[in-house]
Amino acid sequence: MQPTVRLLLLLCRCAEQLPLSWTPALGRGLGAVLGVALPGKRRIARRNLDLVYGDRLDDAGKRRVVREMFAAAGRHAIEFMQMRAFARKRGMAGIRLEGEDLLRVALAKGRGVVLAGAHLGNWDIGAVAAQSFGARVSFVSRKMPSPWLQEWWRLQRASVGTSMAVDARAPREILRRLKSNEIVVLVTDQNRRASEGIFIDFLGTPACTTEAPARFALRFGAPLLTVWSRMEPDGSHRFVIEPEIPVPEGIPEEAAVRRMMEEAIR
């Protein structure tokens, strides 16, 4: 194990010793640092707010939203480091899971579940919720810029029983996990190269997103569901699972993929 990975895991074990009541303040502080250190991300956030709100939200309001975005990112980073402590100390007491029956029905089919979502909320906390009723969870992640970061991310997730498949271009690994009746989680809100995805209309603008959730569901026969999450004012995490997206009949696969992905991002 690389020394950098050992150091990061040690920091996680130290973070676990801190009271969970400190997490919001620590996260807000880290978020403030990130907001200064990542000006490019701040500009992207502001541009997206302009796209969504236009003149309906003034400059002060948009700046406030961006600050809160970074505060949430900081909190999620601290929570990621404290995952084992969260699972041990709070568990389902800190999680609201809606639509659990839909997930159970999908898993009962025995072909695994493809779960599509976006970078909203803390997905690793959501995995703790799924495991509370015996489900195994795997995340499909892009390859990270450095091997040590990839390894730390993998080991920290493994510490609470979740696994990670690198990139949606690893179909054999994903098929193996679906055959084992696992929940395979993919996010659909990251920009893709034109050669890697499909263009979907998003707020009137063509956006290239991954086609992997629909493609895996069609080819492997796994149910495709969507999920969204948010952090509640009391600090709990709310996860809402939506009904299964039906497979279109009587149309070519490419058209079916597009229709299913359009439904997923809505």
Side-chain angles (χ1 to χ4, degrees):
M1 185 185 299
Q2 295 184 36
T4 306
V5 177
R6 290 183 184 275
L7 177 60
L8 286 171
L9 290 175
L10 177 61
L11 288 174
C12 290
R13 302 297 84 83
C14 291
E16 291 170 5
Q17 306 308 312
L18 299 174
L20 295 180
S21 60
W22 292 12
T23 302
L26 290 171
R28 184 168 290 277
L30 177 58
V33 173
L34 293 174
V36 173
L38 301 172
K41 297 295 184 183
R42 194 169 63 246
R43 286 192 295 270
I44 291 172
R46 179 55 188 264
R47 187 166 63 243
N48 288 341
L49 288 173
D50 289 339
L51 178 66
V52 171
Y53 289 104
D55 296 331
R56 290 175 294 156
L57 186 65
D58 61 19
D59 286 345
K62 291 173 183 176
R63 288 196 299 270
R64 183 177 63 254
V65 171
V66 172
R67 283 197 304 270
E68 291 302 316
M69 179 201 75
F70 277 107
R75 173 165 179 162
H76 295 330
I78 299 296
E79 286 176 335
F80 182 76
M81 299 175 72
Q82 295 178 318
M83 278 196 303
R84 296 198 314 175
F86 185 95
R88 184 176 65 252
K89 296 178 182 179
R90 296 194 68 184
M92 288 303 294
I95 299 170
R96 292 173 54 190
L97 180 60
E98 301 176 20
E100 178 182 334
D101 55 330
L102 299 172
L103 192 56
R104 288 183 181 274
V105 168
L107 285 168
K109 297 180 181 181
R111 299 191 297 272
V113 172
V114 177
L115 200 58
H119 285 89
L120 297 171
N122 191 323
W123 290 109
D124 293 284
I125 298 297
V128 173
Q131 290 170 358
S132 69
F133 55 88
R136 297 187 301 276
V137 181
S138 292
F139 292 93
V140 178
S141 173
R142 280 184 171 181
K143 189 174 182 179
M144 294 188 176
S146 59
W148 59 264
L149 185 60
Q150 186 84 48
E151 182 65 2
W152 169 65
W153 204 261
R154 184 188 69 81
L155 290 173
Q156 181 64 0
R157 279 181 165 168
S159 70
V160 292
T162 59
S163 57
M164 188 164 70
V166 178
D167 211 289
R169 289 171 290 183
R172 289 184 180 180
E173 177 66 14
I174 293 168
L175 175 59
R176 182 184 69 78
R177 298 182 188 206
L178 289 173
K179 284 185 174 180
S180 298
N181 208 30
E182 293 188 19
I183 300 169
V184 174
V185 182
L186 302 100
V187 293
T188 61
D189 62 339
Q190 289 181 311
N191 187 44
R192 290 278 178 170
R193 297 187 183 93
S195 60
E196 296 178 340
I198 56 175
F199 282 90
I200 301 293
D201 181 78
F202 182 70
L203 297 174
T205 300
C208 189
T209 184
T210 177
E211 61 181 16
R215 188 75 69 184
F216 291 140
L218 286 170
R219 292 190 175 177
F220 303 151
L224 171 60
L225 287 75
T226 57
V227 60
W228 58 271
S229 71
R230 73 180 185 188
M231 189 164 53
E232 296 295 304
D234 63 359
S236 65
H237 295 267
R238 180 187 180 199
F239 294 87
V240 180
I241 298 167
E242 303 287 355
E244 179 180 345
I245 295 176
V247 176
E249 297 182 358
I251 61 175
E253 180 176 322
E254 295 302 319
V257 166
R258 176 173 294 278
R259 184 175 298 179
M260 293 174 75
M261 288 308 304
E262 287 176 343
E263 182 67 24
I265 67 170
R266 293 194 183 101

